[in-house]
Amino acid sequence: MSDRPAVQRPETMPETPLLQRFIALVGEKNAMTEPSDVAPYLTENRGLYHGATPLVLKPGSTEEVSAILALASETGTPIVPAGGRTGLVGGQVPRDDGQDVVLSLERMNRVREVDPVANILVADGGCILADVQKAAEAHGRLFPLSLGSEGSCRIGGNLSTNAGGTAVLAYGNMRSFCLGLEVVLPTGEIWDGLRRLKKDNSGYDLRDLFIGAEGTLGVITGAVLKLFPRPLGRQVAFVGLKSTDAALKLFERAEKLCGTALTGFELMPRIGIEFTSRHIEGVRDPLATPHDWYVLIDISTSDSAATADAMMTTLLEAALGDELVEDAVIAASIAQQTEFWHLRESMSDAQKPEGGSIKHDVSVPISKIPVFMREAADAVMAAMPGARICAFGHLGDGNIHYNISQPLGADKADFIGRWREMNAVVHAIVRKHGGSISAEHGVGQLKRDELAGIRPEIETELMRRIKIAFDPAGIMNPGKVIDVP
Amino acid sequence: MSDRPAVQRPETMPETPLLQRFIALVGEKNAMTEPSDVAPYLTENRGLYHGATPLVLKPGSTEEVSAILALASETGTPIVPAGGRTGLVGGQVPRDDGQDVVLSLERMNRVREVDPVANILVADGGCILADVQKAAEAHGRLFPLSLGSEGSCRIGGNLSTNAGGTAVLAYGNMRSFCLGLEVVLPTGEIWDGLRRLKKDNSGYDLRDLFIGAEGTLGVITGAVLKLFPRPLGRQVAFVGLKSTDAALKLFERAEKLCGTALTGFELMPRIGIEFTSRHIEGVRDPLATPHDWYVLIDISTSDSAATADAMMTTLLEAALGDELVEDAVIAASIAQQTEFWHLRESMSDAQKPEGGSIKHDVSVPISKIPVFMREAADAVMAAMPGARICAFGHLGDGNIHYNISQPLGADKADFIGRWREMNAVVHAIVRKHGGSISAEHGVGQLKRDELAGIRPEIETELMRRIKIAFDPAGIMNPGKVIDVP
């Protein structure tokens, strides 16, 4: 594992007068220094990163965040913003030298307002995604962002990473749902950009610059979010196919027939069905015989369930007739719709009992999916005979979670030790096809240097100039996204 | 008119060795210095601005644009990028001191590629919008940006102004259709950001910073654009109502019933129907009796015309039954659908024979439309008795073109001389309701200083820092969008 990011133990830092000044800004009961209290803020779910901090601050208002950042700028204290801390690239983990102070938004967790006429919801940066979804639902509206971690991830983090998930095909990434932001700048100044307008061409697009900046340009403390009408009809199908070429052709037909009603088009390999059937409770293979590839199709219609069902039937009858698909089952109930999605969403967890898994979060133009999948499989199998490729994901977005489970009987530590090597193998094919090695999870610590090596030099240079223009003291989440010498 | 932007005559500048260096970069036949050749580049459609230039350059490639900007940076020569020059805020007009060189993209007008599987089109920055629409149609796809000037405006300008138009409700502004950009930076460096990916979280969002920057941060020379499935069904209706409150309620119902199938929801006042019936060939009032307000509803469905028609009938039968609308007619043919849209799209032109018109391009949260319309009308009539308010536009986007025709019998010049005064009256109401005074036309010269006075100071300061970081020599479209001291 010598080539992986360093993993270090946390260290307790002695309290200093400077830390006391920070603590005074939020009050003793909203500041944590005990190692056992601080420990959860030093790790992330994959166990790739472990940092250290002398202090976790939990401000209760935008003004308190402002006071913290003003003091941080004055004293050159690095600040790591934390939301639900579910990120997968180490963006939320402090560095390991024990100098970074963690600023957690967890107390700023209110839905400030819902306006169902304007289809708008205003939330604190620390509001949990599921709470936003529920507030929208209570007003008969849909907030379409949906991801595995929705019960704990927070809106500020969703915005800072431009989160994706399972409904991007119809609704877009988090960026698409945001009308306005409230941001505390590294200097402590508050930018009130909480606009509620669908159209506003009145200057440079600062909003989209803060979105996806992973807390390196400021702290998102509030947001105006777009709501949508709840679809009145839905149908889900599970389809077996011979190849990813067939899956792509089926996607083209589905898009043509359904337009914006096509909400999900998820690709899965045979091995993923085997892993989930074997390890996940309640999952069974929905089809009678095995197929090399599968897709889950989700159609949501504005008018009625009958329309969604009719669309799905039309699509699949024609595809079966033309032998484009080998077999298909349309959900007979809402419970079965949920079952199909449960299978798809368990695909990552189902790999854990199979040993180590080396992950990639990549995207290519949709038309390149089949050739990418073929070439990547050839390259991976040549580099590591016996590797079990469980590559699945959002075909409709060109976004594949290209996961590799260890060969049967392999040593897990040896396998994981080849993480960077296997990344290089897969990412070379991604780049050949004009793809991205960071499709939806972001940059953080994990991909900062690899991306700096891949990106056009002028692009990294422009990012550096923006970083310096916004954060001249270099206090905002340093070491993440972009390295400023 | 002393308070309006100064209007000046062009002056011919003597050719200098510096100009010869610029001319050598594109060749004599692609450089213009004769006053009669240069004249069209010095004006804009509303006649508010008139500038001067010694030279118009028409580069034929990204490399030539790069060479021009490199020389401009080296010599401190101001550059004004020009596309179709249909903008309404003076962004495309050189300043009047005769120092600005115009860089026209008109020769870079190719559709570089169409990929109907990936739903992608790659165009030069100087490609005419209508040519992009046609190329998409030839491949059975839709490029949804649609505006009055589509026969002459160009993609680089559409991107630089984040153009809106008549299909924003369903598809969004130009920003929503762009996956990647090629930009020549003020230094002459070329940023190849021509990505084709639906998902890419690999750094700061430079793309959205260049979009809407009106050529002040660089020159957009190419773009990867998103295509959409062509809707298979469409229906259009023309509706008479008592009030804007009723129009808003009808919009809520339409959105709930139709979801993303609701493509247009346009508000018009009685006077607009009178103006168009009186002055525009082929326009007649679609309804038998007069109503205070009208809406045009456009429904486009992915599956069939029958679905669109059924949705429209369901919506309007219920609204007539509840007396929410006074009268309605559903188009009986595609020709009639076109007629209804022709009426709506002629509303600006129909004002010209009525004398002077003072214009506003404003947006408010949709739920505030009725109160905004009432308060603005009261304020305008108090300031200018007899004013004829022809406020119409994209109710579904909260975007109203708040035009005021001169009182009957008034002197046109006196009336136009009150432009800034009436702007102040209307914009005060817009700001009270959290709106934007620059909804879709942009900033340019027209709104630069007014917006600087309205915007939070920190926002203007961040814009300045970005401008300086990207264009330290200050050569890119100086005087537009943001004033850098």
Side-chain angles (χ1 to χ4, degrees), chain B residues 91-103:
Chain B
Q92 75 278 46
V93 179
R95 293 171 300 179
D96 50 30
D97 63 0
Q99 300 303 311
D100 296 355
V101 169
V102 174
L103 188 160

Side-chain angles (χ1 to χ4, degrees), chain B residues 22 26 29-32 37-38 40-42 53 55-62 64-66 68-69 78-86 92 94 100-109 124-128 152 154 156-157 219-221 476:
Chain B
F22 277 109
V26 295
K29 72 177 195 301
N30 299 311
M32 299 188 295
D37 295 335
V38 162
Y41 297 83
L42 306 180
T53 187
L55 177 64
V56 175
L57 296 167
K58 299 189 283 187
S61 68
T62 302
E64 288 184 4
V65 175
S66 164
I68 291 167
L69 293 192
I79 298 287
V80 179
R85 307 189 310 279
T86 58
Q92 75 278 46
D100 296 355
V101 169
V102 174
L103 188 160
S104 168
L105 276 282
E106 66 202 87
R107 289 179 59 229
M108 295 176 61
N109 59 0
D124 282 350
C127 194
I128 288 175
S152 53
R154 294 172 191 267
V219 177
I220 295 175
T221 51
M476 283 309 313

Side-chain angles (χ1 to χ4, degrees), chain A residues 466-483:
Chain A
I466 291 170
K467 170 71 177 171
I468 292 166
F470 279 61
D471 180 22
I475 60 151
M476 282 311 310
N477 213 5
K480 320 295 168 60
V481 184
I482 179 95
D483 187 30

Side-chain angles (χ1 to χ4, degrees), chain A residues 186-415:
Chain A
T187 51
E189 288 163 296
I190 298 169
W191 175 49
D192 179 355
L194 286 175
R195 285 159 201 167
R196 298 168 177 229
L197 305 169
K198 287 201 184 179
K199 280 188 179 172
D200 179 26
N201 281 342
S202 62
Y204 297 158
D205 184 5
L206 302 182
R207 178 189 65 202
D208 283 312
L209 200 50
F210 289 114
I211 295 174
E214 303 182 28
T216 62
L217 301 178
V219 177
I220 296 174
T221 51
V224 179
L225 304 173
K226 275 162 83 172
L227 303 180
F228 294 79
R230 294 192 72 77
L232 297 179
R234 186 181 194 188
Q235 189 49 288
V236 181
F238 207 88
V239 179
L241 315 96
K242 198 185 297 291
S243 65
T244 53
D245 297 276
L248 179 64
K249 284 202 185 103
L250 184 63
F251 173 72
E252 286 177 60
R253 288 194 186 185
E255 208 179 27
K256 191 171 174 191
L257 178 72
C258 308
T260 54
L262 185 64
T263 314
F265 199 98
E266 299 281 316
L267 180 71
M268 291 159 279
R270 175 64 201 165
I271 200 171
I273 310 301
E274 287 169 10
F275 286 176
T276 47
S277 307
R278 196 180 298 160
H279 301 298
I280 304 293
E281 204 177 310
V283 168
R284 55 180 192 83
D285 185 343
L287 299 175
T289 57
H291 305 273
D292 283 352
W293 293 94
Y294 298 81
V295 294
L296 181 157
I297 305 174
D298 192 321
I299 295 175
S300 300
T301 45
S302 50
D303 53 349
S304 72
T307 310
D309 197 62
M311 270 187 190
M312 190 70 87
T313 306
T314 304
L315 173 69
L316 292 178
E317 278 181 356
L320 280 160
D322 300 346
E323 296 182 7
L324 181 58
V325 311
E326 295 180 326
D327 196 6
V329 55
I330 298 179
S333 63
I334 290 176
Q336 204 173 15
Q337 295 180 359
T338 309
E339 257 175 49
F340 293 171
W341 267 112
H342 179 55
L343 187 163
R344 159 62 188 86
E345 285 178 341
S346 308
M347 201 134 292
S348 200
D349 282 347
Q351 288 182 268
K352 284 180 191 157
E354 296 287 335
S357 173
I358 296 174
K359 318 247 186 215
H360 308 79
D361 164 41
V362 305
S363 64
V364 292
I366 296 171
S367 52
K368 304 283 190 189
I369 289 264
V371 63
F372 162 73
M373 293 292 258
R374 271 193 298 275
E375 293 181 5
D378 287 349
V380 166
M381 298 313 285
M384 187 189 278
R388 293 175 300 161
I389 300 168
C390 186
F392 62 93
H394 322 294
L395 185 144
D397 307 322
N399 178 197
I400 301 294
H401 298 300
Y402 202 95
N403 294 355
I404 305 171
S405 281
Q406 65 181 59
L408 283 170
D411 178 80
K412 182 173 174 181
D414 286 350
F415 171 78

Side-chain angles (χ1 to χ4, degrees), chain A residues 448-459:
Chain A
R448 188 193 72 174
D449 295 337
E450 187 174 356
L451 280 165
I454 289 173
R455 240 189 246 120
E457 207 168 305
I458 182 66
E459 186 172 331

Side-chain angles (χ1 to χ4, degrees), chain B residues 280-339:
Chain B
I280 304 293
E281 204 177 310
V283 167
R284 55 181 192 85
D285 185 344
L287 299 176
T289 58
H291 305 273
D292 285 352
W293 293 94
Y294 298 83
V295 294
L296 181 157
I297 306 175
D298 192 322
I299 295 176
S300 300
T301 44
S302 49
D303 53 350
S304 72
T307 310
D309 196 63
M311 270 186 189
M312 190 70 87
T313 306
T314 304
L315 174 69
L316 292 178
E317 278 182 357
L320 281 161
D322 300 346
E323 296 182 6
L324 181 60
V325 311
E326 295 180 326
D327 195 6
V329 54
I330 297 179
S333 63
I334 290 176
Q336 205 174 12
Q337 295 180 358
T338 309
E339 258 176 48

